[in-house]
Amino acid sequence: MASKLFPLVTLSSILFLTIFSLIISPSLAVDVPLNTPLPSDTICDSTPHPSYCKSVLPHKSANVYDFGRFSVQQSLTNSQDLLDLLDKYLQNRRATLTSSAIQALEDCHFLASLNIDLLSQALGTVDKTSNVLPSSDADDVQSMLSAILTNQQTCFDGIQSFSTVRNDLSVPLSNGTNLHSVTLALFTEGWVPKGRKNNPTPNESNRHLNFRKGRLSPKMSSKARAVYDSVINRKRHLLQAGDDEVVVMDIAVVSQDGSGNFTTINDAINAAPDNSVASDGYFLIYITSGVYQEYVSITSKKKYLLLIGDGINQTIITGSHSVGDGSTTFNSSTFAVAAQGFVAVNITFQNTAGPSKGQAVAVRNDGDWSAFYSCSFEAYQDTLYTHSMRQFYRECDIYGTVDFIFGNAAVVFQNCNIYPRRPLQGQSNTITAQGRTDPNQNTGISIQNCTVTAAADLSSSTFSVENYLGRPWKEYSRTVFMQSFIDSFIDPAGWLAWNGDFALSTLYYAEYNNRGPGSNTSNRVTWPGYHVIGATDAADFTVSNFVMGDSWLPQTGVPYTGGLI
């Protein structure tokens, strides 16, 4: 977390401290109240990119709120300009580009569009107040601004293989990244409460699902209603009686034999209403057993979808796109989510490209307040792309080889099974590759009360494979394993370097109260960023604190534990 730039002091000391800091140490943070006007240079010295900050902010004195609002507006303008640039580039250069380069640019276009939406929402919040926000509101905007940086970085990474595109776009992308970082730093300083923490009791946040039939839409077909009642009456694993109710506005049934409303998942999603709000309830899509060979993309306007299948290995969504066959990593996913409030239950998601095809994503998730319960994710390299925003996974199975849980969301995995598989000979397995690029991003991977064991093909491998908990994909990579079972096949060092000493002092890797023969920390790496932590620090990475789960998980019906177990 970022340190406070302006702790409260007496007003009589402000002028002395300001002059002293400018003369003695330009980079020294100034101890003044948040609403005190300061020169832009003084405020910029405490951001990750002081020089760029000074070139953007007006050369005058203002408080952190005024500068913060200005910076958000500049970030929005920058994203709009980038979108225009990409439109023109694709229009004028398409004929000279390879299909892979075009796909990378189209990824950038999609991500820039997302950034415009997120920045517009953020601007609406910061324009309303010049005070520290309540924790939940602050986390909302900090998550948006963190995702904006992630989207920018994903675009930048995607064009690196194409020299002409890289040369043409690197400068505007780099400048945008610096600007968004400054915006996040100023927001974190002005609007985010310091030292926020909830202290839930371990069991008070357990939730189950109880549909409220009275809110069902009268337009539901008799066939859909019959299936709905069957689901309720059979009391599926998810649908247990509990204290909280999940409101359903309508239901669609997908069945390949034609007995439902639709035969494909995409058609059912297209039929869902656009831009629902939480109070409307979920549009429930019940997907009967079968193998669905579809590439599914849930756009940002398809909010509050609830997909329920017939169970792991019963309802299967499968595809085989891969980097080896010309896709970008971002666009190789079989199933992609960009919508808020998405929930999936009892479904297997696959990418069957195989270990020789490189990055091949089963699920990419950008959905804020998204949850997967009793699902399976099966691929090899880059199985589950937890790309951005706030996510939760409960009682899921995740299979893969290299970096198979990766991305830059704020995400908690709870009571999940993690299965490294047999990679190509000569490859090492790394479970996580977390992609935090900025110290003010509220992102990271938290793995709580999970089981880390070898998949059957790894256990029977005829060649030796080294297995690690993770490696630092980006400079501020952050991953915590806590209260989990770790089997003996994990290397005693625990963690693997990415490239030399890259990120070893800036990452945050931690372990807390794990169990099993692979949990012994006595021979772990000795990097500056690696820690064996206690309960106080571990509490920061619980559902209630890390993804603010108490504010959104109850409405999903997915059970969870808010605190330490």
Side-chain angles (χ1 to χ4, degrees):
M1 300 297 291
S3 60
K4 186 167 183 177
L5 305 183
F6 309 115
L8 183 65
V9 296
T10 61
L11 292 176
S12 62
S13 64
I14 292 173
L15 180 59
F16 169 77
L17 287 170
T18 302
I19 295 172
F20 178 83
S21 68
L22 291 173
I23 295 175
I24 302 300
S25 177
S27 62
L28 184 66
V30 181
D31 294 335
V32 297
L34 291 172
N35 58 2
T36 301
L38 290 171
S40 57
D41 285 4
T42 303
I43 288 182
C44 284
D45 281 337
S46 295
T47 67
H49 304 284
S51 296
Y52 190 83
C53 176
K54 292 171 186 178
S55 73
V56 172
L57 294 190
H59 295 288
K60 65 177 185 179
S61 291
N63 63 42
V64 69
Y65 297 107
D66 292 334
F67 281 133
R69 277 185 283 268
F70 177 86
S71 189
V72 174
Q73 181 60 67
Q74 291 299 110
S75 281
L76 178 56
T77 300
N78 177 276
S79 293
Q80 291 166 334
D81 290 344
L82 176 61
L83 190 65
D84 291 341
L85 176 62
L86 290 165
D87 277 331
K88 293 176 182 176
Y89 200 94
L90 282 166
Q91 181 178 353
N92 296 331
R93 297 289 192 91
R94 184 178 290 269
T96 67
L97 298 171
T98 65
S99 60
S100 295
I102 291 170
Q103 191 174 120
L105 287 166
E106 289 175 341
D107 290 347
C108 288
H109 191 278
F110 171 79
L111 293 163
S113 298
L114 286 182
N115 280 357
I116 290 170
D117 291 341
L118 293 170
L119 282 161
S120 298
Q121 294 178 61
L123 187 61
T125 298
V126 300
D127 273 348
K128 292 177 182 177
T129 182
S130 293
N131 289 294
V132 171
L133 290 167
S135 291
S136 60
D137 294 339
D139 200 70
D140 288 347
V141 179
Q142 194 174 13
S143 296
M144 294 176 197
L145 298 179
S146 295
I148 288 158
L149 271 172
T150 301
N151 293 341
Q152 192 85 357
Q153 184 65 48
T154 300
C155 171
F156 187 83
D157 289 347
I159 66 170
Q160 292 309 298
S161 299
F162 313 104
S163 57
T164 300
V165 177
R166 182 181 67 241
N167 293 337
D168 290 343
L169 298 182
S170 285
V171 171
L173 284 171
S174 179
N175 287 341
T177 297
N178 291 340
L179 175 59
H180 301 328
S181 177
V182 168
T183 298
L184 176 58
L186 295 178
F187 176 81
T188 301
E189 175 51 37
W191 284 271
V192 176
K194 307 304 182 282
R196 63 183 185 194
K197 182 181 289 187
N198 301 310
N199 292 290
T201 58
N203 297 317
E204 71 176 6
S205 297
N206 285 321
R207 296 293 186 263
H208 298 287
L209 184 61
N210 180 30
F211 284 106
R212 186 191 303 168
K213 289 189 178 182
R215 291 293 297 275
L216 290 172
S217 168
K219 67 177 179 289
M220 178 183 290
S221 69
S222 59
K223 183 181 294 185
R225 189 179 295 278
V227 171
Y228 174 84
D229 289 338
S230 175
V231 170
I232 293 294
N233 292 335
R234 282 186 285 157
K235 294 184 178 180
R236 308 176 66 80
H237 184 46
L238 174 68
L239 313 179
Q240 301 176 39
D243 297 331
D244 290 280
E245 294 181 320
V246 172
V247 179
V248 174
M249 68 164 75
D250 205 351
I251 184 171
V253 179
V254 180
S255 182
Q256 292 177 323
D257 64 6
S259 63
N261 306 98
F262 303 97
T263 58
T264 71
I265 298 165
N266 278 302
D267 285 345
I269 290 169
N270 290 336
D274 293 342
N275 297 314
S276 297
V277 295
S279 59
D280 291 339
Y282 286 98
F283 187 88
L284 191 158
I285 299 175
Y286 171 51
I287 309 170
T288 61
S289 60
V291 178
Y292 295 82
Q293 295 182 333
E294 297 187 52
Y295 294 96
V296 179
S297 180
I298 299 176
T299 64
S300 59
K301 66 183 180 181
K302 296 296 183 180
K303 299 177 181 178
Y304 295 98
L305 291 183
L306 170 58
L307 271 60
I308 299 180
D310 268 325
I312 291 174
N313 294 328
Q314 298 299 312
T315 298
I316 301 170
I317 304 173
T318 186
S320 60
H321 287 168
S322 68
V323 169
D325 285 332
S327 292
T328 60
T329 302
F330 186 79
N331 212 25
S332 68
S333 55
T334 300
F335 192 94
V337 180
Q340 180 174 293
F342 175 81
V343 182
V345 184
N346 293 348
I347 299 172
T348 290
F349 303 90
Q350 293 179 342
N351 189 312
T352 60
S356 65
K357 295 292 186 177
Q359 297 93 329
V361 176
V363 169
R364 187 192 79 234
N365 189 3
D366 294 278
D368 199 21
W369 296 348
S370 57
F372 289 76
Y373 177 41
S374 189
C375 289
S376 182
F377 306 87
E378 301 174 4
Y380 289 85
Q381 183 171 350
D382 289 4
T383 301
L384 178 53
Y385 198 172
T386 57
H387 185 255
S388 66
M389 303 305 289
R390 292 164 292 188
Q391 309 177 16
F392 179 63
Y393 298 76
R394 170 85 176 202
E395 296 172 33
C396 291
D397 299 335
I398 307 113
Y399 296 82
T401 56
V402 180
D403 304 336
F404 66 95
I405 300 173
F406 75 114
N408 196 24
V411 55
V412 177
F413 294 86
Q414 193 173 82
N415 297 16
C416 293
N417 298 308
I418 299 172
Y419 296 111
R421 307 173 81 170
R422 183 175 61 202
L424 295 176
Q425 189 164 2
Q427 285 184 329
S428 297
N429 281 336
T430 42
I431 293 171
T432 64
Q434 205 282 325
R436 186 166 171 253
T437 61
D438 191 285
N440 290 304
Q441 287 179 309
N442 62 349
T443 55
I445 295 171
S446 174
I447 295 176
Q448 182 187 23
N449 198 38
C450 293
T451 298
V452 180
T453 55
D457 63 347
L458 179 61
S459 295
S460 62
S461 175
T462 57
F463 55 85
S464 177
V465 179
E466 294 180 341
N467 300 277
Y468 299 91
L469 300 177
R471 59 175 180 160
W473 181 26
K474 301 296 182 183
E475 187 173 3
Y476 294 93
S477 183
R478 181 160 63 176
T479 302
V480 177
F481 279 77
M482 57 188 191
Q483 300 180 303
S484 294
F485 175 86
I486 302 174
D487 215 341
S488 58
F489 72 105
I490 293 296
D491 190 279
W495 307 83
L496 182 66
W498 184 274
N499 183 18
D501 62 357
F502 169 74
L504 302 188
S505 61
T506 51
L507 60 78
Y508 183 89
Y509 285 168
E511 296 181 58
Y512 167 70
N513 201 26
N514 294 306
R515 59 194 184 277
S519 67
N520 189 326
T521 59
S522 60
N523 292 311
R524 288 296 197 247
V525 294
T526 57
W527 306 336
Y530 171 75
H531 310 275
V532 177
I533 58 175
T536 300
D537 290 330
D540 290 338
F541 299 96
T542 57
V543 172
S544 294
N545 287 320
F546 197 51
V547 295
M548 305 296 283
D550 295 330
S551 66
W552 60 274
L553 272 171
Q555 72 181 9
T556 69
V558 175
Y560 73 96
T561 299
L564 296 173
I565 295 169

